[in-house]
Amino acid sequence: MGVVKADAYGHGAIEISRILCKEGARWLAVSSVDEGVALRRAGIDCRILVMAGVMPWERDAIREFRLTPAVHSVGDLSFFNDSAEPIDVHLKIDTGMNRLGTHAAVSEIAAAMKAHPGVRIEGLMTHFASAADFASGQTDEQIARFNDVAAELGKCGIRAPLIHCASTNAIAYGRAGLTQTLVRPGHAIYGYVSPARGDAPASSVNVAPALSWKARIVAIKHLAPGSRIGYGGSFVAAAPMRIAILAAGYADGISHRLSNKGKVIAGGRLAPIVGTVSMDLTTIDVTQSPHLRPGDEATLLGREGDVSLDAQQIARTAGTISYNVLCGISARVRRFYVE
Ligand SMILES: *Cc1c(COP(=O)(O)O)cnc(C)c1O
């Protein structure tokens, strides 16, 4: 089940979904009904799980667009028991992350299932809070709780054909005691696995970043010592320098926190961001790359020759996570798909 929520982590949900379906994925996962509807309207035909909530006014769209809801409470079961046509749902168990999923007793779930025969539990799922952290016992506790609930549901005659718990980290590092028929990778599809903590096995998922992100140089300037750069004049040239102004800023997804801290790749080498990142423009030091001209490309994320910069490195500098960097690449940045 390829996770393509948040516009496929910034990569473009429609294109990525087409590729995943072509490669044989039978399921996709999105966060909202809107995201699912957009995929259907683009002709995506495989099964689609809506993982976050379904609002009352969105219930009809679930059936109309053949979306499959994750249900998070006993109340959700009656909410979807609204038509003569049976509906398949995936029941999410909160095993200790304390985000979405039900805490209800199995007897209560079983009673609700009896009362709502129009709802079929096709999938049973949970989500791990710390699957890459082998210094923590949280994942083992979550697995034990999930297995208990699944066994008890089985005793009540509720056996979901699809069992899915693992997202990228639990797939990559493996987790003992987990029996599942489906997995939900997101980050790994886009070429990333978070580093593990503690006594973890090596990642079994060998991937490279799928996306590179480029911006054009719109101007080049020579500055005299003492010149200040950008809003607030936060960077002062200590020596003569040559700067390039890139046509991308925080409105494109370059974190403002990279001001005077981050780097991009220009002319095949790392070029520091100097001054504050503006909404539409970012200034970099290209003193070491005298051949660069307006119109040339710089690489915000990706590789030029031996030099590379990925979302995890950018995230570390910006004080965030790689997911946030990828999802932050805004809609106005044009996506090009290359084989
Ligand atoms: C986002 C999400 C995933 C995918 O997680 P990755 O770490 O990107 O693989 C899987 N399951 C749920 C419930 C999610 O919200």
Side-chain angles (χ1 to χ4, degrees), residues 3 5 9 51 92 99 125 127 167-169 184-188 323:
V3 179
K5 64 191 178 189
Y9 296 36
M51 296 195 292
K92 187 167 186 182
R99 205 178 58 176
M125 63 187 287
H127 192 49
S167 50
T168 293
N169 291 340
R184 301 190 306 267
H187 215 208
Y323 293 70

Side-chain angles (χ1 to χ4, degrees), residues 196-214:
R197 287 210 186 108
D199 192 12
S203 167
S204 66
V205 174
N206 218 328
V207 286
L211 165 157
S212 26
W213 180 14
K214 294 178 188 251

Side-chain angles (χ1 to χ4, degrees), residues 4-146:
V4 294
K5 64 191 178 189
D7 205 24
Y9 296 36
H11 295 65
I14 291 171
E15 288 295 334
I16 299 296
S17 297
R18 279 190 189 133
I19 292 163
L20 292 176
C21 292
K22 204 172 81 188
E23 294 291 330
R26 277 175 283 170
W27 281 87
L28 299 172
V30 295
S31 184
S32 65
V33 172
D34 280 356
E35 289 181 334
V37 169
L39 294 184
R40 285 284 184 250
R41 289 204 162 123
I44 304 295
D45 204 41
C46 65
R47 298 289 302 278
I48 298 177
L49 181 72
V50 177
M51 296 195 292
V54 176
M55 298 297 152
W57 57 88
E58 295 176 323
R59 186 169 55 184
D60 292 345
I62 286 277
R63 288 185 189 271
E64 185 184 344
F65 292 91
R66 294 176 296 113
L67 306 174
T68 303
V71 301
H72 306 109
S73 70
V74 165
D76 279 352
L77 294 172
S78 63
F79 174 72
F80 286 109
N81 187 53
D82 65 321
S83 152
E85 279 289 296
I87 187 167
D88 288 321
V89 303
H90 290 211
L91 178 65
K92 187 167 186 182
I93 307 298
D94 184 354
T95 52
M97 182 165 179
N98 293 311
R99 205 178 58 176
L100 285 175
T102 183
H103 280 149
V106 166
S107 57
E108 220 186 312
I109 297 168
M113 287 305 292
K114 223 172 239 151
H116 303 299
V119 179
R120 294 187 304 219
I121 295 185
E122 178 189 29
L124 196 62
M125 63 187 287
T126 193
H127 192 49
F128 298 128
S130 327
D133 188 356
F134 282 74
S136 155
Q138 191 176 9
T139 308
D140 290 333
E141 285 167 30
Q142 288 195 263
I143 291 169
R145 196 166 308 166
F146 183 79

